[in-house]
Amino acid sequence: MLITHDTRCALDTVVDLVNTAPEDDTTPDALPDVPALQEFVQNHEISDVGVLSEFDLSAVRKIRGRFASVFASPDARSAAVLINELVAAAGTTPRLTDHDGYDWHVHYFAPGASVADHLAADCGMALAFFVVAGEQERLRRCEAPDCRRAFVDLSRNRSRRYCDSRTCGNRLHVAAYRARRKEAAG
């Protein structure tokens, strides 16, 4: 599957957005306030965003939950329904642009759109490309029992199981190794 630069950026953004949500009642929200949202926007180089407000924060948190539902969708049809709702509500207006030193690419948000609509349109379309390509199963949650972070499996054989093999994957492999050693010694 060919993934263009702008689609890859949108995928990275939607994964990071979903992963800002608290995993449970004991973990804090990684988007607690407007300055955190501003930092998220800057870190992901989201263009055409004006002054952010509490309204923007609330709207972004709402679509974050809807994107999380896409990653939890059991099948392509369920994911498509959610993505269609997100993209339609954003009032998409596809247009070609070559801003900030990047070659021609498509933005799906309307000029002057809110940051939430911007994210819903561009990130929603990036996820839509995966559903269209029959690759919805690549939109995953980490299989580590103490982690439910979202990720997009871009491995060649669709075999990635953990959000980060150096942390979650390694931790589980070490635990399994120790359990085997303990059983063998036992």
Side-chain angles (χ1 to χ4, degrees), residues 61-133:
R61 285 179 175 164
K62 183 177 178 181
I63 65 157
R64 173 181 69 184
R66 297 183 78 196
F67 278 130
S69 296
V70 172
F71 280 83
S73 293
D75 55 45
R77 184 166 305 285
S78 302
V81 167
L82 294 166
I83 294 167
N84 283 339
E85 289 171 357
L86 275 162
V87 171
T92 57
T93 306
R95 61 190 168 95
L96 287 167
T97 183
D98 66 343
H99 64 88
D100 297 331
Y102 293 106
D103 205 358
W104 289 105
H105 58 283
V106 179
H107 279 193
Y108 295 95
F109 60 94
S114 70
V115 67
D117 285 345
H118 179 136
L119 291 168
D122 275 0
C123 295
M125 289 305 298
L127 295 176
F129 294 140
F130 274 76
V131 173
V132 167

Side-chain angles (χ1 to χ4, degrees), residues 42-61:
Q42 289 171 340
N43 288 344
H44 290 86
E45 299 178 359
I46 300 170
S47 60
D48 295 333
V49 174
V51 176
L52 298 173
S53 67
E54 288 291 331
F55 178 82
D56 292 310
L57 179 62
S58 176
V60 168
R61 285 179 175 164

